[in-house]
Every structure is written in structure tokens, then in C-alpha cells.
Amino acid sequence: MTEPTAIAALRTHLAHHIVGQAALVDRLLIGLLTGGHLLVEGLPGLAKTTAVKALAEGVHARFKRVQFTPDLLPADLLGNEIYHPETRTFTFEAGPLFNEIILADEINRAPAKVQSALLEAMAERQVTVAGESRKLPALFLVMATQNPLEQSGTYPLPEAQLDRFMLHVSLSYPERQDEYDILARTLAGTLGRDDDEATGLTVDEVLNARADVRAVHCDAALQRWVVDVVAATRAPEKASDALESLAGMVLVGASPRGALAWVQSAQALAWLNGRDFIVPDDLLELAGDVLRHRLILSPKALVSGLSRDAIITRLCAEIPFP
């Protein structure tokens, strides 16, 4: 069983590389402890790539960074059957998806065929090449970065693929003091440098820790509240009279997979905080990250300037805990 001190050492390792993004560090650990994929959105220069690379180093996992571009092909992810004319045989050359932690950098710049190939890997933990299905590693995580859609050359991800991400983390600029620390530590050569051995955490220990996380208790009353909120994302006006103003604002709400991801991520957050049970604050802290990418707003909502985060906040506030 992985001791909490090993995870604490990993958190310290990440803190040596990432300044001013404490929520991102926690979300990376949640993804690691649940096996859930992460989508990290933010403007360039906010340490998205650095964070994922630091996580892979801390776990001593096989890591591969893939730069998503408009000319990327599915074979660039999956691999190829290579023909050997001298023996008239084929051998399979594995692509980058056969590593344990994958950084899909700028994922929303790639074409639809590439997204489709990645979807099978994320959903089934396997890929199909030349008609043969091949299993991916037990510790298989996709940590994708995405630039805001307002930037040139970006495209919306398919809804089915978005739903496969456990969390959608939205980054903002760091506070001024944090930004100063980044500058000062970079100039001093101390940013990203561990004084001691970063962490002794191994892939096998992470897989064992996932069993501990799954054992974290979620009270039945909290489970019903999660289901009520998720159902309210589809028809807010049916959940409470106070939410009638949201009628027609959401075209598509969260799926049952969203409710499951919400509880699973809250289990990991509770475990990271030293508890074997979920409290309401765990669910509230993760509500936006779990649900925002699962909502499709109507033109009415877009015209009125209503955001997905604002809707989620209202739902959590108006639907009382049992």
C-alpha cells in the first residue's frame, strides 16, 4: 500500500516545478489516483506542459509528449505494421500511446481522425491497428493541454471525447507574488530543481494506492445529491423553482459518467486530505472541473453572457445538501 508520505513527497516534487498553481497540482494527483484523464486549458506560458512532465518524473513512469498539429496522422499515435521484404513478414512498431503517461499537447489543433484514434485509447485502454486490438499499460493516463478556442488554429473537441476526460482544469494567470517567485527562482536556477531525491514512488505503488482511494466512503445522501445536480444540468427548471430562469440555457447536460467522475475525484481529494470519507466541500471544490466540459450551452445562454461555471455554481447553491 502506498503510504501518504509518498504522495506528499510527490506533491513536494511538483511544487519545485510549478509555482502558483496549487489547484493544478491537486488535479494532477487526483487523475493519477483515479486513472482519470485530464484536460488542462489555459493560455501559453502557464506551466501546463511542465506540470505533466514533472508528474511523470515523480512517478518514474514511461512518458511521451505528442505535439498535436493539423497534419498529425492516427499512425503517429498508434504505431505501424512494418513490412520486412527479406522475410516477407510484418512486425508492429508501437506508437507513443503505449507509454504510461501521455502529454497530448495542444490537443485541439489536430484533425478528427486523430481525435477518434485517441478516443478508443482513452475509453477502452486499448488501440486497434491493422484489425488487431492491443492493450495499453495498466497505468495509462492522458494529460491533454488545450489553448482557448478563441486562438487561431484551434477546434472544438468532439463531445464524446470531452466526456472521457474526468476533469477539465481551467488555468488563469498566477498572482503577482507567485509570478515574481517564478522569475526570481528561474534566474537563480532553483525552479524545477529538487534538492534531494524527488520521490521513491513507483508505478506499482500508484496502482495499489488506487485501491485505497476506491475504498473512501461516500454517504448515500451525498450520492443522491450528486445525481440531483447532474440531472439538473439537463433540465434546471425541473430541479427547483429558483432555477426557472435557467430554462432553455443548456442544450446538453452532464451524463451519468459525469456523476461517477465527480464521486471518484472527490474520493481522491478526500484521501489526499487524510480522510477515508467524502465531505460536501470535496464535491463543491471539484464541481466546476468535473462538469464544465460536459455542458453545451444554448445560443440563448451565449447571448446573455451566461457561462457554464455560473450555471454550475447556481445549481450547487440552489439544490440543498440532504
Side-chain angles (χ1 to χ4, degrees):
M1 185 176 92
T2 302
E3 297 294 333
T5 52
I7 296 297
L10 178 58
R11 194 194 296 260
T12 300
H13 168 72
L14 293 175
H16 279 106
H17 294 77
I18 310 161
V19 178
Q21 300 287 4
L24 174 60
V25 170
D26 282 345
R27 274 51 173 180
L28 288 172
L29 293 175
I30 288 171
L32 185 70
L33 292 169
T34 59
H37 309 296
L38 267 66
L39 177 61
V40 182
E41 180 175 342
L43 293 167
L46 295 181
K48 302 186 295 297
T49 302
T50 299
V52 179
K53 290 176 66 176
L55 178 69
E57 292 169 0
V59 184
H60 306 289
R62 300 196 310 274
F63 168 77
K64 190 67 177 180
R65 174 182 181 270
V66 181
Q67 184 66 48
F68 278 55
T69 57
D71 60 350
L72 196 69
L73 298 174
D76 296 329
L77 294 179
L78 308 179
N80 274 305
E81 290 280 347
I82 306 299
Y83 179 66
H84 302 280
E86 64 278 6
T87 59
R88 299 182 180 180
T89 59
F90 288 88
T91 59
F92 177 68
E93 184 175 312
L97 286 189
F98 285 85
N99 289 277
E100 290 164 322
I101 295 182
I102 308 299
L103 170 58
D105 207 8
E106 298 187 303
I107 189 173
N108 57 334
R109 295 190 185 277
K113 286 186 177 181
V114 173
Q115 305 296 353
S116 178
L118 182 61
L119 176 59
E120 181 189 6
M122 294 173 63
E124 307 296 337
R125 263 44 179 207
Q126 69 175 29
V127 298
T128 302
V129 181
E132 181 180 348
S133 296
R134 301 175 185 272
K135 292 292 184 182
L136 295 174
L139 179 69
F140 175 73
L141 280 180
V142 174
M143 307 284 188
T145 68
Q146 173 176 280
N147 290 329
L149 292 178
E150 293 78 12
Q151 289 205 318
S152 61
T154 59
Y155 310 94
L157 295 178
E159 289 82 1
Q161 186 173 4
L162 283 172
D163 198 37
R164 293 293 178 176
F165 285 104
M166 172 176 275
L167 301 175
H168 175 192
V169 185
S170 182
L171 299 183
S172 58
Y173 287 113
E175 300 292 333
R176 284 190 66 182
Q177 182 58 46
D178 291 328
E179 199 164 352
Y180 169 75
D181 289 345
I182 293 170
L183 177 61
R185 289 172 59 182
T186 300
L187 293 177
T190 58
L191 184 63
R193 188 180 71 192
D194 293 314
D195 295 331
D196 302 308
E197 179 70 18
T199 168
L201 192 63
T202 65
V203 169
D204 287 340
E205 288 176 317
V206 171
L207 295 175
N208 291 334
R210 289 181 179 179
D212 297 334
V213 170
R214 288 192 295 269
V216 171
H217 178 68
C218 182
D219 188 78
L222 291 180
Q223 294 179 39
R224 286 192 293 271
W225 182 83
V226 166
V227 172
D228 288 344
V229 174
V230 169
T233 64
R234 305 165 202 152
E237 68 281 2
K238 296 180 180 180
S240 169
D241 292 340
L243 296 171
E244 287 185 359
S245 62
L246 296 181
M249 295 294 187
V250 181
L251 291 178
V252 179
S255 68
R257 187 181 289 117
L260 183 60
W262 199 355
V263 173
Q264 289 174 333
S265 59
Q267 286 177 312
L269 183 60
W271 191 83
L272 287 170
N273 289 329
R275 283 182 277 104
D276 62 358
F277 58 91
I278 293 174
V279 298
D281 283 348
D282 296 327
L283 296 168
L284 291 174
E285 180 176 341
L286 294 168
D289 292 340
V290 171
L291 297 176
R292 69 168 57 97
H293 57 301
R294 294 183 161 93
L295 271 60
I296 300 177
L297 301 188
S298 67
K300 178 181 176 182
L302 298 176
V303 169
S304 64
L306 192 63
S307 69
R308 292 172 295 176
D309 284 357
I311 291 175
I312 294 166
T313 300
R314 284 233 8 226
L315 294 179
C316 291
E318 297 295 345
I319 299 175
F321 282 102

